[in-house]
Amino acid sequence: MTVGIAGLGLIGGSLAKAYAKSGAQVYGYDGNRVVQDFAQLEGTLAGELSEETAGGCELILIALYPRVAIAYLEKLAPHIPKETLVLDCCGVKREICEVGFRLAAEYGFTFVGGHPMAGTQYSGYANSKAEMFKGAPMVIVPKERDDILLLDRVKRLITPAGFGSVTVTTAEHHDEMIAYTSQMCHIISNAYVKSPRAQMHKGYSAGSYRDLTRVAWLNEGMWTELFLENRGYLLEELDRLIGYLGEYREALAEENGDRLRTLLAEGRICKEKVDAEWSKN
């Protein structure tokens, strides 16, 4: 298999290493030429992903910031063969899918939106690893959700990455869900760690503190773009959470133990229901 990967940060770099480890020939591009040259020097890349080498790729993965990904795809589109599958890896899907589907129709290649659901609080090629996606979920957004042959093709082509499951959805539903399952977690963690007591936590913290603060260490440039592009769904979730937090605050301020106990029980029951549903899958 010959694969092209645009963007060699944590996600793209991990994909490049996974495909190279599987024996695929990997061509890569990164805006930081030093990173691209290093990836080639260490043997992950066979060469540069360019207008010329794109012509020999069975699969092209785009792991760039959303707006950069769109600009890159618009530039590369005329040079992508009809036999090639293009899969983006952006954290939001509506705009990139709209552009990708349009360009695919214009130039004849196949475009599918994608979102590898794995990562760490660290960024960059230096933190990438071939096993990053082993057992992780992969979300894909095809133009037609009932195209079984396309879904089989996508699953075959992403096999070297080691994903544990594939979820098929629409761009709109993806962005709605990701506002809650990913973006909100980053905002909450980032805001929580701003307390002055965070600087004094040593000796007073354990697993709950580590879990809640892990993703406060983030790439603010990337997440700002993701948050703004998905601001409608994200504002909806923020407003909902602020409302819930207000209820806890009010119960505390009024020393209303019965109300506080009820609120805590409601949260516990919600978590029990979530875990019960998860265990069925």
Side-chain angles (χ1 to χ4, degrees):
M1 183 190 303
T2 301
V3 180
I5 300 178
L8 298 172
L10 179 68
I11 300 301
S14 295
L15 288 168
K17 290 176 180 178
Y19 278 90
K21 186 176 180 179
S22 75
Q25 188 173 44
V26 182
Y27 290 93
Y29 160 80
D30 193 85
N32 184 339
R33 185 72 198 207
V34 173
V35 170
Q36 183 179 314
D37 288 345
F38 178 79
Q40 187 169 349
L41 184 65
E42 72 170 6
T44 299
L45 301 183
E48 179 178 3
L49 176 61
S50 63
E51 295 175 355
E52 290 73 27
T53 56
C57 293
E58 186 177 359
L59 171 66
I60 294 178
L61 298 161
I62 301 179
L64 299 163
Y65 291 7
R67 292 177 186 174
V68 179
I70 288 171
Y72 181 85
L73 182 56
E74 288 176 333
K75 181 180 178 182
L76 192 66
H79 308 279
I80 300 175
K82 290 180 173 59
E83 300 79 18
T84 300
L85 174 72
V86 178
L87 184 72
D88 89 279
C89 301
C90 296
V92 285
K93 297 267 68 81
R94 282 171 291 175
E95 189 173 357
I96 184 68
C97 283
E98 180 181 350
V99 173
F101 293 145
R102 173 176 58 80
L103 292 172
E106 181 177 353
Y107 293 102
F109 61 86
T110 301
F111 176 86
V112 174
H115 189 179
M117 299 302 300
T120 72
Q121 65 269 40
Y122 307 111
S123 60
Y125 186 81
N127 294 299
S128 64
K129 54 184 180 180
E131 297 77 22
M132 178 72 72
F133 307 107
K134 187 175 182 180
M138 175 63 166
V139 181
I140 63 169
V141 180
K143 187 173 178 60
E144 304 293 339
R145 294 178 63 187
D146 58 353
D147 189 338
I148 302 302
L149 292 178
L150 174 59
L151 297 182
D152 286 344
R153 181 184 175 196
V154 172
K155 289 178 181 179
R156 175 178 62 81
L157 290 174
I158 65 174
T159 294
F163 293 106
S165 64
V166 174
T167 299
V168 182
T169 188
T170 64
E172 290 76 14
H173 187 62
H174 168 276
D175 289 358
E176 180 181 15
M177 291 303 300
I178 228 67
Y180 173 72
T181 62
S182 175
Q183 295 179 346
M184 277 290 288
C185 299
H186 286 78
I187 286 180
I188 293 167
S189 180
N190 197 263
Y192 176 78
V193 82
K194 289 179 180 178
S195 169
R197 291 190 177 92
Q199 305 301 321
M200 302 178 283
H201 79 88
K202 189 174 181 180
Y204 298 91
S205 60
S208 56
Y209 177 85
R210 288 194 301 271
D211 291 344
L212 187 53
T213 60
R214 181 179 67 83
V215 294
W217 194 332
L218 47 69
N219 180 332
E220 60 269 18
M222 179 186 74
W223 284 101
T224 294
E225 184 173 338
L226 293 172
F227 290 163
L228 288 175
E229 188 166 329
N230 206 29
R231 63 188 178 277
Y233 288 131
L234 191 51
L235 283 169
E236 181 182 320
E237 289 296 339
L238 272 171
D239 289 343
R240 182 179 291 117
L241 178 64
I242 290 169
Y244 289 144
L245 290 175
E247 293 178 352
Y248 289 91
R249 189 191 189 288
E250 182 179 333
L252 284 167
E254 296 176 355
E255 299 184 49
N256 189 335
D258 289 340
R259 177 59 176 154
L260 184 57
R261 189 177 299 107
T262 297
L263 291 171
L264 294 171
E266 289 172 352
R268 174 182 55 76
I269 292 168
C270 285
K271 176 60 174 169
E272 288 175 354
K273 290 179 179 178
V274 169
D275 289 352
E277 285 300 315
W278 183 267
S279 65
K280 293 177 184 178
N281 300 327

